[in-house]
Amino acid sequence: MRLFHGMSDKHSEKRARRASKRAKLHSKRMEYLLDKKTPFAITEAFRNLKAALSVSVPKRDGGVAIMATSAYPQDGKTTVTVNLALMFAISNAKVVIVDGDIRKGRVAKYFKEKNTPGLSDYLSGQNSLDEVIRQTETDKNLSYIPCGTHSPKPYELLESEAMKSLIEELRTRYDYVIIDTPPVLLLSDALAIAPVIDGTVLVCRHQVSYISDVARALNTLSFAKANVLGVVVNDFKLPPTKSRGNYDSYYYYSYAYGSTDSPAEDKND
Amino acid sequence: MEENMQTEDGISLLDIFRLLLSKIKILLLVVLLGAILGAALGVWKTHNVDYYGTSVEFYVNPEKKSVSSDNTQQGGSQYGVYGAYGRHVMDNMVRLLGSEIFAEQLMLGGNVLPAKQEGNTSLNAKIDVAEPLLEIVEQKQAKAKEYSASYEEKLSTYNSADNRLNDVWKTLYLAEKVKQPSFSEAEYMTYVGKAGYTNLETAYSDKQTAQKKLESAWENFAVAQAAANEAQENASTAVEEALTEWRNMDSYKGLLNRIVGSTKYAYVQGNTDAEDANNLARSFIYVKISVLNDKEFSEDLLERIKKIVPIYIEANMAVPDGYQGTNCQPTTTINQIVLTNPGYTRSQTIKYALLLAAVTGVVACVVVILLDRSDKRLRDYDVITKKFNIPVLGVVPAIDDLVPETPKKKTEKDTEVKV
């Protein structure tokens, strides 16, 4: 039984701390929201991710609920979640981001707003759903629910019937419900949600995440009966011989071919 | 992207090249540091390394015994036939010169006793004992030599007297012959006369006197020689004790090693078939002196070598049959101690810098490769599909690696998302 092996493994904790420390150095630069200045390669990567997820998620009535998690912190799952949601929203799908990391949610920071009231407040019955759902200024199709007030029992909240009802309710309102959850090898919060959603995306960070950790995370998710759709490799470092040049040329090629103003403006096409 | 992928099982040269290229700045820095370290090491090790030295050449040849006494008188080496020594003889001599035995002779500088050492009272006391004994030996030997000369003189006188007696006796014998059978006594007496007898008696008497003097001289010489030998024995014991004390000193071993390490001996063999001195007959022994950071020592050593080597070679070189001895002389009279390694520090510094740069470069490359191979972090996303049979839905490039947009003035439009 290796379900919570990672949570009790001292070695893993050490490794997590180390990875966290290392990643913190770059965390500021990793937190970004796609905009006009975002390099084309990154925009294109999220576009490809959106396309891949679109075909990976099983078809069903109502909206699709997807969960993003990672093995350890600082792998960039919130960045991936937010930008993936934004990419869905840009393609005219109604999307809501749910910040399932009640302990350390960061989704609201991407939109420069506060975390409260949010998910925990709704689940504990202190606020209504409409009070916690926020429309972003970034895109009219994109809404989000922040993590809310810090709760001493986040797992219980996420495991509650209220959470299941919330997801069902959101499915009726939105085309995509994308939930950002805590690291699966450190906390069990993600496992509480995993069975009631359509698919799980595991985010790992290039040259930071250990393959063994990815394996343990996948084992943990599969044991929790999560439908793992696939892995997203974040912060991929281009080899020196391939960096810049190729992407730039693609960028300018696309820029010239698709639009006369800016590559970012092809949203309106 | 596929070019970036590598299997876990193998790594191609291209991958290694790319890996090293990706770390080129670190590698160059390490090489540079290695070069600096090497240069520093080179300077540190060689900044005070000055070798002083020179080469001295000696010719060595056996002197053949002269055929006639005239030749001997005129100098055997000049008229004798020259022939070079065999290779084994030269080998042995060079080996002997390079030994500690000869190094000790150089230390003694041709003396029997070592010089007194400051602070070593025991040695100095033994030298004080041995020195008067050696003086006595010298005196006794001088006396013996004096008696020997006297004996030689007396022997010569005796031989002359003996010859004269023989001559007189021969005359008498002839006279006896003449007398018989026809010569009468009167005729005999007439022929020899009283003077003949007188001469005989005088010659006989002279011989007796010379013999007595000779025997006396021989006795004197024998006594003197015995006294000299006894003094020699006494002195030898005292000298040996002093030498033993000297050899037990720490400075002795250090100086001995320094001399052995500072001198090198070699030879060039002459033509063994040559028949004269000007036709490649001479063999040469070369002494190379090289002393570290001590010009005075090297100059002193040079003087000692020029003085001792010929004596030692002439005394110790094996002389083949038909030869009377060995002639050894330095071929040059002026030898100057010079600095033999100008620019040594610079060349050594460059050598060390290059060597350490190369070593650190190679080590750094190996370390980079080993670290890369031992790194079990996610580097190749294809592994995920292969290992876990899970698709890679997307690969998001690192934003740092990509070219940032040309800085523009911020407008309100920038805040809107337009992707």
Side-chain angles (χ1 to χ4, degrees), chain A residues 194-257:
Chain A
V196 294
I197 55 164
D198 300 313
T200 301
V201 172
L202 181 70
V203 179
C204 53
R205 192 167 166 195
H206 185 232
Q207 292 183 356
V208 173
S209 302
Y210 284 84
I211 292 171
S212 56
D213 293 339
V214 174
R216 289 218 309 275
L218 288 171
N219 280 342
T220 306
L221 287 169
S222 67
F223 194 83
K225 295 190 168 43
N227 176 25
V228 181
L229 300 172
V231 173
V232 175
V233 179
N234 188 32
D235 201 30
F236 182 81
K237 311 250 179 338
L238 297 167
T241 48
K242 292 206 71 177
S243 65
R244 302 188 173 189
N246 288 352
Y247 281 107
D248 284 351
S249 59
Y250 276 122
Y251 172 78
Y252 288 112
Y253 174 77
S254 174
Y255 177 35
Y257 189 78

Side-chain angles (χ1 to χ4, degrees), chain B residues 218-259:
Chain B
W218 171 255
E219 278 175 17
N220 289 338
F221 170 70
V223 169
Q225 187 63 46
N229 288 343
E230 190 184 344
Q232 180 73 49
E233 275 181 25
N234 294 336
S236 294
T237 309
V239 166
E240 195 56 41
E241 281 178 8
L243 286 175
T244 306
E245 183 76 25
W246 178 55
R247 283 167 186 150
N248 287 333
M249 288 172 64
D250 291 337
S251 58
Y252 168 85
K253 202 71 186 168
L255 189 60
L256 194 75
N257 288 335
R258 196 176 180 195
I259 288 175

Side-chain angles (χ1 to χ4, degrees), chain A residues 51-67:
Chain A
L53 267 176
S54 299
V55 297
S56 301
V57 180
K59 302 292 177 191
R60 57 169 291 171
D61 293 336
V64 173
I66 300 167
M67 178 182 86

Side-chain angles (χ1 to χ4, degrees), chain B residues 152-411:
Chain B
E152 291 292 332
E153 188 191 332
K154 296 290 187 295
L155 181 64
S156 175
T157 307
Y158 170 78
N159 286 338
S160 298
D162 191 46
N163 287 338
R164 188 160 170 264
L165 181 64
N166 283 339
D167 287 344
V168 172
W169 183 254
K170 201 183 283 178
T171 308
L172 289 175
Y173 177 74
L174 284 171
E176 192 75 15
K177 286 275 184 189
V178 170
K179 183 183 83 174
Q180 292 176 358
S182 56
F183 278 71
S184 64
E185 187 180 342
E187 285 170 332
Y188 172 74
M189 288 301 291
T190 303
Y191 184 77
V192 178
K194 194 175 180 181
Y197 280 109
T198 305
N199 282 341
L200 182 62
E201 282 172 2
T202 305
Y204 184 75
S205 173
D206 288 346
K207 186 188 173 185
Q208 290 293 320
T209 306
Q211 190 171 354
K212 280 178 185 171
K213 284 182 179 177
L214 180 64
E215 285 169 1
S216 173
W218 171 255
E219 278 175 17
N220 289 338
F221 170 70
V223 169
Q225 187 63 46
N229 288 343
E230 190 184 344
Q232 180 73 49
E233 275 181 25
N234 294 336
S236 294
T237 309
V239 166
E240 195 56 41
E241 281 178 8
L243 286 175
T244 306
E245 183 76 25
W246 178 55
R247 283 167 186 150
N248 287 333
M249 288 172 64
D250 291 337
S251 58
Y252 168 85
K253 202 71 186 168
L255 189 60
L256 194 75
N257 288 335
R258 196 176 180 195
I259 288 175
V260 171
S262 302
T263 49
K264 281 183 181 174
Y265 299 87
Y267 72 90
V268 172
Q269 192 186 18
N271 183 4
T272 51
D273 299 327
E275 296 246 331
D276 65 83
N278 299 320
N279 190 17
L280 299 175
R282 286 173 174 165
S283 296
F284 293 90
I285 284 182
Y286 296 93
V287 187
K288 189 181 176 187
I289 302 168
S290 184
V291 178
L292 179 64
N293 295 339
D294 196 340
K295 194 176 180 184
E296 281 183 19
F297 179 77
S298 63
E299 285 170 345
D300 183 44
L301 189 60
L302 172 65
E303 289 308 314
R304 284 167 188 259
I305 281 172
K306 283 172 74 174
K307 181 183 168 188
I308 310 295
V309 165
I311 298 168
Y312 194 79
I313 288 176
E314 286 177 359
N316 290 281
M317 186 74 100
V319 182
D321 291 340
Y323 291 84
Q324 63 180 11
T326 298
N327 186 25
C328 177
Q329 292 294 325
T331 58
T332 50
T333 52
I334 301 170
N335 290 93
Q336 277 192 325
I337 294 294
V338 291
L339 183 67
T340 56
N341 64 334
Y344 179 72
T345 304
R346 191 179 56 190
S347 65
Q348 288 299 302
T349 302
I350 293 169
K351 191 179 96 176
Y352 274 98
L354 290 175
L355 195 70
L356 226 69
V359 169
T360 52
V362 169
V363 170
C365 287
V366 170
V367 168
V368 164
I369 292 167
L370 287 178
L371 282 178
D372 181 73
R373 296 306 294 163
S374 63
D375 187 1
K376 298 298 177 194
R377 288 177 298 179
L378 180 65
R379 293 182 300 158
D380 174 15
Y381 54 79
D382 199 35
V383 172
I384 293 170
T385 311
K386 285 180 181 171
K387 271 197 162 183
F388 311 121
N389 200 22
I390 298 274
V392 175
L393 296 170
V395 178
V396 182
I399 197 162
D400 297 343
D401 289 352
L402 300 169
V403 179
E405 288 285 314
T406 312
K408 291 177 186 172
K409 284 186 178 178
K410 275 196 172 180
T411 61

Side-chain angles (χ1 to χ4, degrees), chain A residues 153-184:
Chain A
K153 295 179 178 178
Y155 181 82
E156 283 73 14
L157 288 176
L158 293 171
E159 198 189 25
S160 64
E161 283 302 317
M163 183 66 192
K164 288 170 189 167
S165 305
L166 171 68
I167 291 170
E168 290 307 314
E169 176 61 26
L170 291 174
R171 281 183 198 274
T172 59
R173 294 190 188 189
Y174 297 92
D175 297 321
Y176 287 95
V177 179
I178 301 176
I179 306 167
D180 184 28
T181 59
V184 73

Side-chain angles (χ1 to χ4, degrees), chain A residues 19-20 22-34 38 42 46 70 72-83 106 110 203-206 208-209 233-237, chain B residues 396-400:
Chain A
S20 174
R22 202 165 45 231
K24 267 179 187 171
L25 296 171
H26 302 287
S27 60
K28 288 288 174 194
R29 275 176 285 179
M30 274 179 65
E31 288 175 6
Y32 56 86
L33 198 56
L34 296 176
T38 307
I42 291 179
F46 279 106
S70 66
Y72 286 113
Q74 302 294 342
D75 282 349
K77 60 186 173 304
T78 307
T79 303
V80 171
T81 304
V82 170
N83 288 303
R106 297 175 62 85
Y110 282 75
V203 179
C204 53
R205 192 167 166 195
H206 185 232
V208 173
S209 302
V233 179
N234 188 32
D235 201 30
F236 182 81
K237 311 250 179 338
Chain B
V396 182
I399 197 162
D400 297 343

